[in-house]
Amino acid sequence: MIDEIQKDAESRMKKSLDALHHNFNKIRTGRAHPSILDAVTVDYYGGQVPINQVASVNIEDARTLTVVPWEQQMVPKVEKAIMTAELGLNPASAGNVIRVPMPMLTEETRKGYIKQARQEAENARVAVRNVRRDANGDIKALLKDKDITEDEARQGEDAIQKLTDKVVAEIDKTLESKEHDLMQV
């Protein structure tokens, strides 16, 4: 029973870590990366679809993305979607190719993005601690029902704590890496 609780806690903590990685991909650095446009949706025949379902997104150089819609009539819609996505990007189309240059980040913008990254990391830590609290509550409930011994409960809680420490360390490492990326000029 304790093993099931640990496996559930581990999978939920991994999901928190995955969500952090996803949120970090939305925070742009000065370099071009296709995942920056993952949150952009385009009006496609009356429905909103992710940009990668109507166009290919590639890196042209370190500071430029190219977006090539699969249908010619989608070029203005894709360009408008990128502009209105509040990413601070100004696409320019040439024929059926849309080039999206990455603007240089000012010191103030970098600090704002670092603050945002730290907030995302703290949210992930809180989520991981909530998973730990839930798992420890489940273990205590088993102990109260006398399904496990006190020693087993203590071992289970120790294992959950070690898992929590490991995931929080991974979150800190990911944050440090993102901060490093943001501070590079």
Side-chain angles (χ1 to χ4, degrees), residues 25-94:
N25 284 341
K26 291 180 186 175
I27 300 173
R28 67 179 176 89
T29 58
R31 294 190 302 272
H33 196 277
S35 66
I36 292 169
L37 299 179
D38 281 352
V40 177
T41 58
V42 181
D43 180 34
Y44 186 66
Y45 296 111
Q48 293 293 319
V49 296
I51 197 167
N52 59 7
Q53 292 184 9
V54 296
S56 64
V57 181
N58 297 306
I59 300 172
E60 184 173 297
D61 59 45
R63 304 196 64 74
T64 309
L65 290 174
T66 56
V67 181
V68 182
W70 294 316
E71 298 175 27
Q72 179 68 35
Q73 74 266 20
M74 291 301 296
V75 172
K77 289 182 179 181
V78 170
E79 190 174 9
K80 183 179 179 193
I82 294 171
M83 276 195 211
T84 58
E86 296 181 12
L87 294 172
L89 302 175
N90 293 316
S93 60

Side-chain angles (χ1 to χ4, degrees), residues 121-147:
E122 184 57 32
N123 291 344
R125 284 188 208 103
V126 168
V128 167
R129 287 189 213 114
N130 287 341
V131 171
R132 177 189 63 192
R133 184 197 63 220
D134 294 345
N136 285 343
D138 292 345
I139 290 172
K140 285 182 178 141
L142 289 174
L143 179 62
K144 185 178 177 186
D145 295 340
K146 301 200 185 296
D147 290 336

Side-chain angles (χ1 to χ4, degrees), residues 97-185:
V97 176
I98 302 169
R99 285 187 174 73
V100 184
M102 295 291 131
M104 292 293 290
L105 297 178
T106 64
E107 189 68 25
E108 187 176 312
T109 329
R110 289 175 197 276
K111 287 181 180 174
Y113 284 143
I114 286 175
K115 187 176 181 180
Q116 182 182 352
R118 287 180 179 158
Q119 184 60 48
E120 294 291 348
E122 184 57 32
N123 291 344
R125 284 188 208 103
V126 168
V128 167
R129 287 189 213 114
N130 287 341
V131 171
R132 177 189 63 192
R133 184 197 63 220
D134 294 345
N136 285 343
D138 292 345
I139 290 172
K140 285 182 178 141
L142 289 174
L143 179 62
K144 185 178 177 186
D145 295 340
K146 301 200 185 296
D147 290 336
I148 58 174
T149 65
E150 285 186 26
D151 288 343
E152 290 172 329
R154 200 170 303 114
Q155 288 171 351
E157 288 176 355
D158 288 346
I160 296 289
Q161 183 60 46
K162 285 178 185 171
L163 179 63
T164 303
D165 293 342
K166 184 179 116 187
V167 174
V168 167
E170 213 168 316
I171 289 170
D172 292 342
K173 191 173 123 189
T174 305
L175 174 62
E176 188 178 313
S177 171
K178 187 65 175 182
E179 285 180 347
H180 179 66
D181 283 352
L182 284 167
M183 288 312 292
Q184 285 183 344
V185 179

Side-chain angles (χ1 to χ4, degrees), residues 9-28:
E10 185 173 8
S11 73
R12 289 174 57 199
M13 287 180 187
K14 293 274 188 237
K15 286 179 186 173
S16 296
L17 198 57
D18 291 343
L20 177 68
H21 288 293
H22 179 72
N23 291 338
F24 275 1
N25 284 341
K26 291 180 186 175
I27 300 173
R28 67 179 176 89

